[in-house]
Amino acid sequence: MEEFKRQQIVYTAMRIFKEKGYFAASMQDIAEACGMAKGSIYKVFPSKEDLFTGIFVEVHRTFFEEARALDRTLRLEGHPPKEILRRKIVFQLQFMLENYFFTSEFKDLPITSNDNFLHEWRKKRADLLAMHHECFHEAYGEPIVPYLGDTVAIFRGMLKEYLAHAVQAVIAVPMADLGGFLTDRIDAIVGDLISSRAEPVLKASSAYFNDINPLDSSTRQINIEAFLKFVAVKIEELPQPARIREDLREVIDLLQRELEQPKPSGTLLRVYITFLDTVSDLKPYVHQFSLMLNHALTQYDK
């Protein structure tokens, strides 16, 4: 009975949130729609944030459950890998379109600062990212492995933009046709990445950690060190006298050494960055490097 009551509240609240929006929907509205006292709702969900989080969890539980069922069916039917990929993309488009309020639109709501919601959101992101990696790996095999991070990032960007257009009725394309369009575009991109042997921008592991926890310190440190090596290479290409290049190399070494300290000095790091920024040809790279260090510098100064 308790589970039945919880499900009744969740599905009723889902409808009310869609109709009225997050701010206008009240717990009293939901209680009346459920035919319950408001106190009964609060016994199951102590706050509106907890109720929205419960809906978010239920929506994505349904999504992954249906995605697994679709995968089993497609395998049993013996479809080729690219057709399986297309069907999975169409499924995700259709599901997210029908549940857009709980899969995308929430990003502008204050719920995103709720700790319980953030915990569930990160779990969902991890599961969705793993699913996308698996989908593309199965469709293209081992040749795509170096490019999984980039492929997933490109696909997710396309999915987000086209879904937003579909929700706003800017486009009137059936999701089956849009899924075919996106599958063909991804196929062309993956084919080019593999045939050209392009240097990957996103490693799969980095994309995974950055998606789940943008503030992951070890991943951030790896990326900072990699970019610092890139700047060092650019210094060697500068049309500057050997003496200036030597000074710049020395500053890069000092930066590297400081970053290796248990608690680097934010002041010293800023001094080194300011010195590098005096060279006009390095400015774009130094500014990007500064952005990468931004959060780190804040942490070091605490």
Side-chain angles (χ1 to χ4, degrees), residues 1 154 182 206 241 292:
M1 286 299 294
I154 292 167
L182 295 182
S206 296
M292 296 174 74

Side-chain angles (χ1 to χ4, degrees), residues 172-183:
V173 179
M175 291 301 101
D177 293 347
L178 180 56
F181 175 85
L182 295 182
T183 305

Side-chain angles (χ1 to χ4, degrees), residues 44-223:
V44 183
F45 297 101
S47 68
K48 186 160 78 167
E49 291 81 4
D50 289 319
L51 177 51
F52 189 92
T53 300
I55 296 170
F56 178 86
V57 170
E58 178 62 22
V59 165
H60 288 92
R61 182 197 65 76
T62 302
F63 170 77
F64 288 113
E65 194 174 87
E66 292 183 4
R68 287 190 292 270
L70 175 64
D71 184 63
R72 287 192 296 270
T73 299
L74 294 173
R75 289 173 185 276
L76 286 172
E77 292 175 352
H79 296 285
K82 299 286 179 63
E83 176 60 14
I84 291 177
L85 178 64
R86 186 191 71 79
R87 299 272 193 101
K88 288 181 177 179
I89 289 175
V90 170
F91 162 74
Q92 183 170 346
L93 283 166
Q94 192 65 49
F95 188 95
M96 293 186 75
L97 182 64
E98 293 172 3
N99 297 278
Y100 194 77
F101 189 88
F102 304 106
T103 58
S104 298
E105 201 168 310
F106 68 84
K107 292 174 184 175
D108 295 325
L109 300 177
I111 186 70
T112 53
S113 62
N114 179 275
D115 288 341
N116 290 335
F117 178 82
L118 284 174
H119 174 72
E120 296 298 338
W121 176 78
R122 288 191 178 106
K123 281 171 58 181
K124 184 272 297 184
R125 294 278 286 184
D127 290 341
L128 191 59
L129 196 65
M131 188 183 85
H132 287 155
H133 283 185
E134 184 180 338
C135 285
F136 289 112
H137 192 188
E138 289 178 350
Y140 294 98
E142 290 305 303
I144 200 179
V145 170
Y147 306 110
L148 273 174
D150 292 312
T151 302
V152 169
I154 292 167
F155 169 69
R156 288 160 75 94
M158 289 175 17
L159 192 74
K160 175 184 174 183
E161 288 299 319
Y162 281 101
L163 267 173
H165 282 76
V167 168
Q168 296 164 21
V170 176
I171 57 173
V173 179
M175 291 301 101
D177 293 347
L178 180 56
F181 175 85
L182 295 182
T183 305
D184 289 344
R185 302 292 74 76
I186 285 291
D187 192 55
I189 290 168
V190 171
D192 176 70
L193 286 171
I194 293 172
S195 64
S196 66
R197 297 183 180 180
E199 183 66 26
V201 173
L202 287 178
K203 303 295 188 291
S205 59
S206 296
Y208 177 84
F209 285 111
N210 285 331
D211 255 354
I212 299 167
N213 182 6
L215 302 182
D216 178 83
S217 59
S218 61
T219 304
R220 186 172 57 247
Q221 184 73 13
I222 290 169
N223 289 338

Side-chain angles (χ1 to χ4, degrees), residues 250-287:
E250 185 177 344
V251 171
I252 291 292
D253 288 341
L254 290 170
L255 256 173
Q256 184 67 54
R257 272 183 246 157
E258 193 60 37
L259 286 170
E260 290 170 355
Q261 298 302 312
K263 188 175 180 181
S265 165
T267 301
L268 275 178
L269 292 172
R270 290 187 182 96
V271 169
Y272 299 147
I273 289 171
T274 299
F275 181 84
L276 294 173
D277 198 42
T278 60
V279 180
S280 58
D281 289 336
L282 288 180
K283 279 183 180 292
Y285 312 117
V286 175
H287 290 177

Side-chain angles (χ1 to χ4, degrees), residues 229-263:
K229 289 177 182 177
F230 172 81
V231 175
V233 171
K234 288 298 174 185
I235 287 173
E236 299 306 317
E237 299 173 358
L238 290 174
Q240 299 282 355
R243 179 181 55 80
I244 293 179
R245 289 203 304 277
E246 180 60 34
D247 288 344
L248 293 170
R249 279 196 295 270
E250 185 177 344
V251 171
I252 291 292
D253 288 341
L254 290 170
L255 256 173
Q256 184 67 54
R257 272 183 246 157
E258 193 60 37
L259 286 170
E260 290 170 355
Q261 298 302 312
K263 188 175 180 181

